[in-house]
Structure formats: structure tokens, C-alpha cells
Amino acid sequence: MATLLLHVTAGVTLLTLLTGCAAHLARPSALPAALRAHGLLPRAAVPVAGALLPCAEGLAGLAVTAALVDGTRTGLAATLTAAGCLHGVHAGYAARVLAAGRGGPCGCALREAPMSRWVAGRGLALAALALTGVLPALAAGTGDRVPQPAGFAGPALTLLAAATLTVLLWVLPSALDTPLARRAPGAPALRPHPGGPPWTS
């Protein structure tokens, strides 16, 4: 069970990192535009942040891939920890945007979603999943090697579970979010930063 949990969490982490990187590379202007709409970063820092995030996602995804291929417990635990921290930073940023009363797109996918509590929740869930894999990575296996799922059913089940969780978490903001304009009565208006581009959900 620990082996299945480890490989599923690593698979979800790997797929979400590579998907996020690919989405940002496919629409390079989307993330900087979203960051400008949020208005939390200095304008000079927006292009830097917009370039760093896809690079960090891609490098983290490659690191998880290398750790899975190499099969060392410490390497996989280290890369899952780094990926969990990256997702945690994204969740914290989304929560900060919402706390500041900002609106705008999330800037995180090919199909744009509004910045919402679901975006922050997805980042938190992905961080928790990645960090959940750290303990079994350190505890499983003989010596420093990570055990592989047994037989044919093991890898197939792992791949199916990881792909399903990845898709569910990736579409969560679009599927569950109420657009920011439909806020609860009396709630403060969520608005793009005055210097950012106009945006509607």
C-alpha cells in the first residue's frame, strides 16, 4: 500500500508540474497578464516571475522524473519536497490575491479560470499530495532503493490513479468555481489591479 501511495503521489506531482509548464509555454503571455491584473508584484518583477515559474515547474518535473528512474529513496523524497514547496508557494500566492480583494485570471492553464479559493485549494492539495509521498519514499524499500509496483496490475493501477487525480485537480477551479462577480452579498468587491488589463470571467 505504501508503494502504491508513493508512486501515485509522485505520478500526480510529475504530471501536474509538466502540464503546468506546458500550459505556460503554450501561452507565454497569459501568466504575466494575470500577475499584472493581480497587482501584488512590482511591475518590473512581473516578466521575471512570468519566466521563472514555468522554468521552476519544468525543472521540478524533470527532477521528479530523474528520481523515479534512478529509484533512490532520498532523491525521490528530496524532489517531492521541492515540488510540494513550489505548489505551496502557488497556493499561498493565490490566497494572498484573494485576501487583498483582487480579481483577474489565475494564469495557470490553457483554459483560463478566475482566481478563486478553488485555485488556492488546488495548490494546497497538490502540495499536500507531494509531501504525503515523502514519508513512504523514505520508509519504503530495501536499502536506498524504492520498490516498484508488482506485476502488471500494479503499474497500470498506479498510472490510472495518477492520471485521474491529475485531471480532477487540474479542472477543479473551472468546474467548481463561481465567477468572482457572483460573490456573496456584502462581500468586498474583488477587482483587478488598476494598472492591470481589464478581465472578465
Side-chain angles (χ1 to χ4, degrees), residues 57-182:
E57 290 173 328
L59 289 174
L62 292 176
V64 174
T65 302
L68 284 170
V69 172
D70 184 54
T72 58
R73 294 186 295 144
T74 52
L76 187 55
T79 55
L80 288 176
T81 300
C85 292
L86 181 60
H87 286 309
V89 168
H90 181 249
Y93 176 81
R96 181 69 184 87
V97 170
L98 296 174
R102 305 294 187 185
C106 72
C108 51
L110 288 174
R111 184 176 181 271
E112 199 58 87
M115 181 61 78
S116 70
R117 65 188 185 279
W118 299 114
V119 174
R122 177 180 62 185
L124 188 61
L126 290 172
L129 269 175
L131 296 176
T132 296
V134 173
L135 287 179
L138 292 175
T142 302
D144 195 41
R145 309 305 298 176
V146 174
Q148 300 301 313
F152 172 77
L157 179 60
T158 298
L159 181 59
L160 179 61
T164 301
L165 279 173
T166 300
V167 170
L168 288 176
L169 287 169
W170 196 256
V171 303
L172 178 70
S174 297
L176 298 180
D177 182 66
T178 298
L180 294 177
R182 303 176 193 169

Side-chain angles (χ1 to χ4, degrees), residues 35 55 156 185:
L35 294 174
C55 290

